[in-house]
């Protein structure tokens, strides 16, 4: 059994850097399990952890200045 995270469509859109309609399409295509939450407007999706992209922190401007030897 794979490890999953429970995310809303809005959270999926933010994590994958896509729009909410695109997130809905992706969930449908990938056939990820959907489940209703206590709020009737919100749907939660079980997203496999290995599918979630890894974000690398962007270098800070101060780090660039220090690495140039200035």
């Amino acid at each position: 059994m794979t490890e999953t995270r429970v995310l809303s469509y809005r959270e999926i859109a933010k994590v994958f850097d896509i729009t909410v309609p695109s997130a809905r399409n992706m969930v449908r295509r990938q056939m990820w399990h959907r489940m209703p939450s206590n709020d009737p407007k919100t749907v939660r999706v079980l997203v496999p952890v290995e599918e979630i992209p890894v974000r690398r922190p962007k270098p800070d401007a101060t780090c660039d200045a220090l690495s140039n030897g200035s």
Side-chain angles (χ1 to χ4, degrees), residues 24-60:
R24 291 180 193 276
N25 288 335
M26 183 172 62
V27 168
R28 189 178 66 246
R29 279 193 321 270
Q30 297 292 334
M31 293 187 280
W32 292 336
H33 183 72
R34 294 173 290 240
M35 56 189 198
S37 66
N38 292 335
D39 176 13
K41 293 188 242 177
T42 307
V43 174
R44 296 289 180 178
V45 180
L46 296 175
V47 180
V49 172
E50 63 265 9
E51 296 291 330
I52 298 173
V54 177
R55 300 246 174 162
R56 295 200 171 127
K58 294 181 180 178
D60 193 14

Side-chain angles (χ1 to χ4, degrees), residues 7-18 23-24 26-27 32 45 47:
L7 302 172
S8 68
Y9 286 118
R10 185 175 292 169
E11 293 167 334
I12 292 170
K14 185 176 181 181
V15 167
F16 285 87
D17 197 25
I18 58 177
R24 291 180 193 276
M26 183 172 62
V27 168
W32 292 336
V45 180
V47 180

